Amino acid sequence: ASCLTPSRVLRRTVAVGTGAKAEFRAEQVAACEGGYRYVVRGCSVRLTVPGRHNVNNSLLALAVAEALGLDLARAAARLASFRMPEMRYQVERVGGIEVHFDGYNANPGSMRSALETFGELPVAGRRVAVLGDMLELGEAGERLHAWLGAEAVRRGIDALWAVGQFAPTVARAAATAGLKSAHGAETLEGVADEIRADLRAGDAVLV
């Protein structure tokens, strides 16, 4: 369970989330086709985008709507038509392969959310990840890319292709965590054909 609440602010605060301490709380959260369903303050919400983190994002939007005096039920109903912007966790089927593309930005938070979402969705074949560098991390770069390799394994990735400057670090950490199919390459162009040859119908690939 989670609860998002600001600290050290001089205005009235509203904690949102799925935890018991959340004042604006999502209840009966359940994954469904293409997203999630939940209930907040008696209003049913149908969220048609993947990613459990988007439950909290939608709660924040609804809490703002209520604070502005908008009708909560109408605001909740409008969420059913929400679609993610370009490059933010889009799913497409290409030649029997389900491609999950989340290319807007790469940082530890977005990587964790993408891997979590990818791990929750049903897949007929293998879960394959093609992960690029997380930039602008300073001295923490090596440590956080090692975390990424281990996190991918923890989230159920069956095959990993790391690409970029930190690719050896990611692949090595994944192999250390027990992944037998962990590869690193400097550029995507250098391994694109190899990745395509490795994919099979029924596989899902997170890029």
Side-chain angles (χ1 to χ4, degrees), residues 53-110:
H53 58 285
N54 282 316
V55 172
N56 273 338
N57 288 339
S58 63
L59 280 171
L60 289 166
L62 291 174
V64 169
E66 184 182 72
L68 293 175
L70 302 178
D71 183 79
L72 185 60
R74 290 185 63 191
R78 290 294 298 273
L79 279 175
S81 62
F82 173 74
R83 298 293 181 269
M84 295 295 286
E86 288 293 315
M87 301 180 71
R88 296 191 186 221
Y89 215 100
Q90 297 168 310
V91 182
E92 184 177 354
R93 185 167 292 279
V94 181
I97 308 296
E98 195 171 84
V99 179
H100 298 237
F101 180 61
D102 192 20
Y104 180 77
N105 192 15
N107 57 61
S110 68

Side-chain angles (χ1 to χ4, degrees), residues 7-13:
S7 60
R8 296 185 178 181
V9 294
L10 301 179
R11 305 285 184 175
R12 183 177 72 90
T13 64

Side-chain angles (χ1 to χ4, degrees), residues 174-196:
T176 299
L179 187 62
K180 293 181 179 179
S181 183
H183 315 270
E186 186 175 344
T187 67
L188 181 58
E189 292 76 11
V191 291
D193 289 340
E194 196 173 344
I195 295 171
R196 277 195 291 266

Side-chain angles (χ1 to χ4, degrees), residues 129-135 145 148 159-174 181-196:
V130 181
L131 305 179
D133 282 343
M134 300 181 291
L135 303 179
H145 282 87
L148 177 60
L160 170 68
W161 302 80
V163 177
Q165 174 188 350
F166 291 99
T169 300
V170 178
R172 187 166 50 248
S181 183
H183 315 270
E186 186 175 344
T187 67
L188 181 58
E189 292 76 11
V191 291
D193 289 340
E194 196 173 344
I195 295 171
R196 277 195 291 266

